[in-house]
Amino acid sequence: MRRDQVTEEGIVALVDGFYDKVRADATLGPIFEEAIAGDWGPHLAKMYDFWSSIMLTTGRYKGRPLPAHVRLPIEPQHFGRWLELFTETTDELFEPDVAHAFQVKAHQIANSFLTALETVKQF
Ligand code: HEM
């Protein structure tokens, strides 16, 4: 049954499911494998904190996500694929209004990253 609320358990299921898809993806997989180099535990833990901070305002994530992306070989089209997989995973796990709330946040953040990366990297 799909979840009708945002909970910590749902965030763990989302992050685990999303990064399973990312790892298997021909476009995004290699970027992550290169950056994460073996141990996915710390990245997944960071992403539980991140989404908990965004959706449940727990303040658990203390990082600065933009610099982590500036040094990656990311092109504008990667964001389209990232958002596609994120939309797919949220639709599988949550009722439509909850899935939509995650998707709105992801689009806002992706757009702000893209704008910043366009300035820094001059795509
Ligand atoms: C970290 C890739 C989009 C949120 C990372 C890392 C990679 C990555 C490889 C690990 C960096 C490292 O440990 O050195 C990508 C790619 C994206 C993308 C290829 C799409 C083009 C997004 C979006 C969000 C996001 C849209 C938010 C909605 C984060 C956060 C971290 C992270 C919070 C942890 C940063 C930190 O504190 O170290 N990303 N990402 N990413 N990503 Fe993304």
Side-chain angles (χ1 to χ4, degrees):
M1 214 179 68
R2 289 187 296 177
R3 296 156 180 83
D4 61 5
Q5 282 180 50
V6 182
T7 61
E8 295 291 351
E9 179 278 330
I11 287 172
V12 170
L14 167 60
V15 169
D16 290 353
F18 172 67
Y19 287 103
D20 279 349
K21 289 184 201 281
V22 163
R23 294 182 77 165
D25 186 68
T27 311
L28 297 178
I31 300 176
F32 279 86
E33 293 302 339
E34 169 91 25
I36 284 164
D39 188 0
W40 277 72
H43 178 67
L44 296 177
K46 214 183 278 181
M47 298 313 294
Y48 305 148
D49 288 348
F50 177 74
W51 283 108
S52 168
S53 290
I54 299 282
M55 300 301 289
L56 298 170
T57 58
T58 56
R60 274 202 337 245
Y61 175 74
K62 306 282 184 211
R64 295 169 59 231
L66 187 57
H69 296 85
V70 171
R71 54 192 164 72
L72 295 169
I74 297 181
E75 305 282 334
Q77 72 272 16
H78 292 134
F79 282 96
R81 187 64 185 139
W82 193 106
L83 288 167
E84 236 168 61
L85 294 180
F86 191 84
T87 299
E88 209 177 280
T89 318
T90 44
D91 283 342
E92 284 163 7
L93 294 173
F94 298 99
E95 291 295 335
D97 57 334
V98 182
H100 186 70
F102 274 102
Q103 291 158 12
V104 166
K105 287 292 181 189
H107 274 86
Q108 285 168 350
I109 299 165
N111 283 335
S112 73
F113 282 3
L114 191 53
T115 306
L117 292 179
E118 272 164 353
T119 314
V120 178
K121 294 199 181 197
Q122 308 193 318
F123 287 135

